[in-house]
Amino acid sequence: MVLPDAQTVTFVKHWTDRLFSFRVTRPASLRFRSGEFVMIGLMGDPDPKTGKQKPLLRAYSIASPSWDEELEFYSIKVQDGPLTSKLQHIKVGDEVILRPKPVGTLVHDALLPGKRIWFFATGTGFAPFASLLREPQTYEDYDEIIITHTCREAGELTYGAELIESLKTDELLNEVIGEGFWKKIKYYPTTTREESPKMGRITDLMRSGEAFADLGVAPLNPETDRAMICGNLAFNLELKQMFEDYGLEEGANSDPKHYVVEKAFLD
Ligand code: A2P
């Protein structure tokens, strides 16, 4: 069967029993800004009455940067999830549906100029930051990039940890952005349900001041700090409230301000 808007899977890697990433071919006409998302999916089961199949699509942040030849995605696997119960079985050479209409708020255009940018992620909410951490503009616009990632278990941090580590030896990025660009990154991974070097929710660690002390930076300040949030709903709402208390205001593409928020994909 020929899928509408089909792209071919070029790479699949399973990180844990709950997480995997994959890469697909990129439509020649697709332009996007690092941090945006697209709708991707598979054909659904045939309707029992009519036998017709409809595409089953969900919003996925593009985890690869805007200059990459392929598109990368980072996904959860939910055993009874309508899409991810099937998507987790894709193999190289399979086709997925990809609607080539990128949108989203986690883009540099939605923020005012600043000195420091914070990326706050839980779980698969790391995906848009996997794109933005490989985007030259991130390093042109900011002196310091702080990425926090809170997961339940230590194994769920691996995709992000390896990606950040790989920047050190990425010849292309070191040449294009400048040798040692990655030294601008401060990475702060934490776990909540399994032992790891740093435990706790980032929200609690910020409230107590521990996160700022560990990082050796001052708390967020609207004069200097910009932030992007991508995690589960409760996390997003809690951080939003904290930011408002720090005096940061939510921005949008049409009205850039201090921070932006997007919900991580869950199925
Ligand atoms: P916790 O284990 O304490 O719930 P999930 O897999 O459920 O999306 O959660 C991913 C991570 O986000 C978990 O480590 C979880 O911690 C954390 N988390 C969930 N809700 C919040 C919140 N409101 N503030 C901060 N972290 C949260």
Side-chain angles (χ1 to χ4, degrees):
M1 190 175 64
V2 180
L3 294 176
D5 290 329
Q7 295 301 322
T8 307
V9 176
T10 59
F11 176 87
V12 183
K13 181 159 177 174
H14 293 267
W15 297 89
T16 71
D17 56 1
R18 292 207 319 144
L19 295 165
F20 71 115
S21 65
F22 58 98
R23 292 173 74 87
V24 304
T25 51
R26 176 173 176 171
S29 61
L30 177 67
R31 296 278 171 276
F32 68 97
R33 293 176 295 174
S34 293
E36 288 187 315
F37 66 83
V38 285
M39 303 300 291
I40 62 172
L42 297 168
M43 269 306 186
D45 291 331
D47 183 286
K49 288 201 188 112
T50 64
K52 279 197 183 152
Q53 285 178 276
K54 277 198 287 190
L56 186 57
L57 302 171
R58 294 287 184 274
Y60 269 85
S61 288
I62 303 172
S64 46
S66 59
W67 51 264
D68 203 325
E69 278 173 19
E70 293 181 339
L71 299 172
E72 183 175 317
F73 298 97
Y74 182 46
S75 179
I76 195 157
K77 306 179 211 175
V78 180
Q79 295 321 325
D80 56 359
L83 177 62
T84 62
S85 60
K86 296 198 181 95
L87 194 65
Q88 63 184 286
H89 301 297
I90 54 167
K91 292 191 177 56
V92 171
D94 288 352
E95 289 190 335
V96 298
I97 304 167
L98 188 150
R99 296 272 189 255
K101 292 191 185 66
V103 284
T105 57
L106 303 183
V107 291
H108 285 306
D109 293 344
L111 296 175
L112 292 169
K115 276 183 158 5
R116 195 159 68 178
I117 188 158
W118 296 74
F119 295 148
F120 292 97
T122 64
T124 55
F126 190 87
F129 306 132
S131 172
L132 285 156
L133 285 166
R134 292 181 276 186
E135 167 59 52
Q137 193 187 345
T138 302
Y139 305 90
E140 285 157 17
D141 287 1
Y142 297 97
D143 298 336
E144 211 169 8
I145 293 100
I146 302 177
I147 164 95
T148 85
H149 193 193
T150 300
C151 291
R152 296 181 185 194
E153 295 167 13
E156 296 173 68
L157 295 167
T158 313
Y159 171 77
E162 284 192 8
L163 188 138
I164 292 168
E165 191 59 30
S166 75
L167 298 177
K168 297 180 183 172
T169 53
D170 190 314
E171 286 181 22
L172 181 68
L173 285 180
N174 276 284
E175 194 184 312
V176 171
I177 307 173
E179 201 58 48
F181 74 96
W182 47 270
K183 290 179 189 157
K184 286 188 170 182
I185 301 173
K186 285 196 156 104
Y187 174 46
Y188 197 69
T190 78
T191 58
T192 51
R193 304 196 192 183
E194 192 186 36
E195 200 73 36
S196 79
K198 193 78 212 176
M199 296 203 56
R201 292 178 166 198
I202 186 64
T203 41
D204 295 336
L205 293 163
M206 283 166 68
R207 236 179 253 116
S208 71
E210 197 174 330
F212 303 117
D214 289 340
L215 287 162
V217 299
L220 282 81
N221 172 339
E223 300 272 306
T224 49
D225 294 270
R226 303 294 170 256
M228 296 191 184
I229 312 173
C230 189
N232 61 53
L233 190 59
F235 171 78
N236 292 357
L237 292 175
E238 211 175 309
L239 268 185
K240 249 172 94 116
Q241 188 54 53
M242 289 178 72
F243 290 175
E244 298 286 336
D245 294 343
Y246 289 129
L248 274 68
E249 292 177 55
E250 186 170 358
N253 272 284
S254 55
D255 185 19
K257 286 203 174 128
H258 308 126
Y259 75 90
V260 281
V261 189
E262 206 129 81
K263 196 158 122 323
F265 168 77
L266 282 178
D267 191 1

